[in-house]
Amino acid sequence: MELTTVWFALIAVLWIGYFCLEGFDFGVGMLLPVLAKNDTERRVMYNTVGPVWDGNEVWVLVAGGATFAAFPEWYATLFSGFYLPLLAILVALIVRNLAFEYRHKHDDDTWRRRWDLALIVGSALPALLWGVAFANIVAGVPIDADKEFTGNLFTLLNPLGLLGGLVTLTLFATHGAMFVALKTDGDIRHRARDLAVKLGLVAAVLAVLFLVSIQLKTGSVASAVAFVLAAVALLAGVAAARAGHEGWAFVGTFLTIALAVAGLFLALFPDVMPSTTDAAYSLTTTNAAATAYTLKVMTWVAVVFTPIVLGYQAWTYWVFRKRLAVHHIPAPATVTSTDGP
């Protein structure tokens, strides 16, 4: 197998890891005003992701860095053409991260409400825009002979792109509700489980419409298999949630996101950014790749450091595996651990 194909697959794995892990972070943030009925329950929700949210974001940083190093032409066209939505995502993530760090710094209800709003918006906006971006990457955008994006922001806000955004928004919300149900106990656990079932059905309808559209436009046999398995996993997750099996329900949404993203990359391959202007202008794993020597060095680096990163993250989730409830939350203090408010 050529190293260009290997690195395309590795970048796909990085995005799968990011969406599966950061997806429930986004979901928890978006559902804060829906699931939490008082400040103590809001603190419970913050603390479900408090120890892991920053580690989850590492995946997108590595995915961006890997794209820059392995496929510089892809990186250049993508980040210049999608500059505004990617900037909006970056600003939203910064604001969201500040909410985790600053909410507990001042014992004032107004102060906390404002940071709660920052968390909600900072979670919902990236959840929406990532779907818009990936829908356009897979379906294709106008690219000229110089490998430059010739559209604008409104080019990306097409019906398929917006549908993709709604899919990621509802799917991440479902994933987040499943995670809250898995990580909490008491009333909030039951509310999260009931909401996960309702959101899951909405996400399933939107996902089927979106994935069928992608499959008809640019899909392959492999992507079709991945999309069907993603749909089955989502329905199985919803069924498990209804039966009260939160662990299997979370596995269901986790697999749904993983298989759906894998299907998108399978539908994209061997392109990395198809051109709607002329197929000859499309960026592929061949014409957008770095030199063979660069890819070889990167491969050895990945072989050494990837197991370390995976081991560290697995250890973190194991340490913080227990459920949280309102009786675990201490009285408010002006300054607490940065792991959660």
Side-chain angles (χ1 to χ4, degrees):
M1 182 183 296
E2 295 184 359
L3 286 181
T4 53
T5 303
V6 170
W7 274 97
F8 180 86
L10 288 175
I11 289 171
V13 169
L14 290 170
W15 280 108
I16 289 171
Y18 175 65
F19 285 137
C20 287
L21 298 176
E22 189 84 317
F24 68 74
D25 281 358
F26 289 148
V28 171
M30 286 187 282
L31 298 177
L32 185 68
V34 180
L35 293 178
K37 301 303 181 185
N38 53 54
D39 187 65
T40 304
E41 290 189 345
R42 284 190 286 274
R43 293 175 67 195
V44 168
M45 291 187 65
Y46 270 92
N47 280 278
T48 60
V49 295
V52 298
W53 66 267
D54 46 358
N56 293 343
E57 288 192 349
V58 171
W59 289 80
V60 73
L61 298 177
V62 178
T67 303
F68 172 77
F71 300 100
E73 294 286 356
W74 184 12
Y75 182 93
T77 303
L78 175 63
F79 278 77
S80 60
F82 289 47
Y83 178 79
L84 287 177
L86 291 176
L87 177 62
I89 290 173
L90 177 61
V91 172
L93 290 177
I94 292 173
V95 171
R96 172 178 173 271
N97 296 351
L98 289 174
F100 283 108
E101 299 294 339
Y102 282 91
R103 184 187 190 271
H104 62 286
K105 297 295 186 181
H106 184 48
D107 187 14
D108 178 74
D109 289 339
T110 301
W111 171 272
R112 286 191 286 264
R113 282 197 299 270
R114 289 173 178 172
W115 285 116
D116 287 345
L117 180 61
L119 179 72
I120 296 163
V121 176
S123 299
L125 188 60
L128 176 71
L129 292 180
W130 279 128
V132 173
F134 266 81
N136 281 282
I137 291 172
V138 178
V141 291
I143 299 173
D144 62 18
D146 296 323
K147 300 179 182 178
E148 294 183 0
F149 175 76
T150 58
N152 53 48
L153 177 61
F154 296 102
T155 304
L156 304 178
L157 300 179
N158 55 73
L160 184 60
L162 293 174
L163 178 59
L166 291 176
V167 169
T168 50
L169 185 73
T170 55
L171 190 54
F172 290 166
T174 305
H175 197 36
M178 298 287 194
F179 183 76
V180 173
L182 176 65
K183 282 289 295 177
T184 62
D185 209 351
D187 292 340
I188 192 171
R189 171 186 178 183
H190 300 295
R191 288 197 296 269
R193 191 170 62 206
D194 293 341
L195 181 61
V197 173
K198 297 173 183 176
L199 287 173
L201 295 176
V202 175
V205 173
L206 294 173
V208 168
L209 291 174
F210 173 67
L211 296 179
V212 168
S213 299
I214 289 292
Q215 182 63 29
L216 293 176
K217 188 175 183 64
T218 184
S220 62
V221 174
S223 65
V225 172
F227 291 154
V228 169
L229 291 176
V232 171
L234 181 54
L235 294 176
V238 171
R242 290 192 64 179
H245 303 304
E246 292 101 343
W248 286 113
F250 182 74
V251 170
T253 51
F254 192 100
L255 289 176
T256 298
I257 295 172
L259 290 165
V261 177
L264 291 177
F265 274 91
L266 289 170
L268 180 62
F269 185 80
D271 292 333
V272 294
M273 281 192 77
S275 172
T276 57
T277 305
D278 189 325
Y281 302 156
S282 296
L283 300 180
T284 69
T285 55
T286 301
N287 65 23
T291 64
Y293 180 75
T294 299
L295 296 178
K296 186 179 295 185
V297 171
M298 289 174 59
T299 301
W300 281 110
V301 171
V303 168
V304 173
F305 287 100
T306 299
I308 297 174
V309 173
L310 292 177
Y312 167 75
Q313 278 216 296
W315 176 81
T316 302
Y317 279 95
W318 175 255
V319 169
F320 296 99
R321 66 189 182 278
K322 293 184 178 180
R323 290 182 182 271
L324 295 170
V326 292
H327 65 270
H328 293 127
I329 303 299
T334 301
V335 177
T336 62
S337 170
T338 57
D339 284 343

